[in-house]
Amino acid sequence: DQQVKQNSPSLSVQEGRISILNCDYTNSMFDYFLWYKKYPAEGPTFLISISSIKDKNEDGRFTVFLNKSAKHLSLHIVPSQPGDSAVYFCAARDTDKLIFGTGTRLQVFP
Amino acid sequence: GAGVSQSPSNKVTEKGKDVELRCDPISGHTALYWYRQSLGQGLEFLIYFQGNSAPDKSGLPSDRFSAERTGGSVSTLTIQRTQQEDSAVYLCASSSQGRSDTEAFFGQGTRLTVV
């Protein structure tokens, strides 16, 4: 049973536009959420996180929004750049381990 | 380097053989995780070590899988009698604390191919 879901396997966005990656979760006890980015043949790298006591966290071009009532979070990248092309994983902390979604492949084209 | 190191980076093995995958976490990190990513799939949790506590083995897919962490540092994931469905990228991650708002740092992974 998938507790963290990324329903869009892929997303294609033009350079300079906004990329919005979505993530849904089922467990209301999750209290911390993270986004990771993964390039081919590399391990995932941490991008941005948000605590459940907040509804927004911003870091440069990256903003994560959390809607606890909807059990939904999203990652906004603006403006998108070709170097942002990668697979993005949403993760939720379950007590002391991370539960990951299946990932969304983002392609930013010129 | 100061990051998480995994070896080997690639491993091809025959069905039925045993394999050992190694993970060197970041020095001082008390939490260590193993995940795997099968083709087209997300990151599947396998096992979690935190300090001297009993490991959380709830993600291990079968009793052919086991893991150890010696001296609170290096970890070895062992797969016995490998099957073709074991083919995946096995990723190790470590973090400074398991129960805090710190992110986990991943190694580059070991790509296992069972033929």
Side-chain angles (χ1 to χ4, degrees):
Chain A
D1 184 29
Q2 197 76 18
Q3 295 188 73
V4 179
K5 302 177 184 179
Q6 294 177 258
N7 293 319
S8 297
S10 63
L11 175 68
S12 187
V13 172
Q14 189 174 30
E15 181 179 7
R17 307 294 288 265
I18 185 170
S19 296
I20 300 177
L21 297 100
N22 293 303
C23 178
D24 297 290
Y25 61 96
T26 58
N27 189 341
S28 58
M29 298 302 291
F30 291 153
D31 61 358
Y32 192 64
F33 303 89
L34 308 89
W35 284 93
Y36 281 80
K37 180 168 74 172
K38 185 180 186 300
Y39 293 118
E42 295 183 9
T45 55
F46 170 75
L47 191 56
I48 192 170
S49 62
I50 188 167
S51 167
S52 60
I53 63 174
K54 296 184 177 181
D55 56 17
K56 177 183 175 181
N57 187 27
E58 188 173 354
D59 183 4
R61 296 186 298 113
F62 302 92
T63 303
V64 56
F65 295 92
L66 176 62
N67 183 334
K68 287 182 64 179
S69 61
K71 297 191 184 69
H72 176 83
L73 66 157
S74 61
L75 174 67
H76 293 210
I77 306 173
V78 55
S80 301
Q81 300 174 353
D84 297 329
S85 298
V87 177
Y88 289 78
F89 289 98
C90 167
R93 187 175 295 280
D94 178 12
T95 56
D96 49 10
K97 63 178 182 272
L98 294 178
I99 307 295
F100 284 85
T102 51
T104 296
R105 181 177 301 277
L106 173 66
Q107 182 178 9
V108 180
F109 59 93
Chain B
V4 176
S5 178
Q6 290 186 247
S7 60
S9 55
N10 281 284
K11 175 72 176 178
V12 180
T13 189
E14 292 182 353
K15 178 181 174 181
K17 300 280 190 180
D18 297 352
V19 295
E20 284 189 353
L21 312 179
R22 177 186 169 103
C23 173
D24 285 272
I26 292 173
S27 178
H29 278 190
T30 58
L32 186 147
Y33 311 78
W34 282 98
Y35 291 85
R36 74 175 175 181
Q37 185 180 19
S38 303
L39 188 63
Q41 301 297 311
L43 297 174
E44 177 188 4
F45 167 77
L46 297 177
I47 188 169
Y48 163 73
F49 296 90
Q50 169 62 304
N52 295 321
S53 302
D56 178 349
K57 304 179 181 181
S58 60
L60 294 178
S62 78
D63 59 7
R64 297 186 294 105
F65 287 73
S66 63
E68 292 185 342
R69 189 178 185 193
T70 54
S73 180
V74 172
S75 177
T76 302
L77 177 70
T78 301
I79 309 173
Q80 296 178 311
R81 305 180 303 281
T82 52
Q83 303 295 313
Q84 288 185 330
E85 61 263 28
D86 300 335
S87 296
V89 176
Y90 288 81
L91 291 157
C92 175
S94 70
S95 66
S96 58
Q97 295 183 56
R99 294 179 181 269
S100 73
D101 297 343
T102 55
E103 69 270 23
F105 295 85
F106 282 83
Q108 83 283 5
T110 294
R111 180 175 297 279
L112 174 67
T113 303
V114 181
V115 298

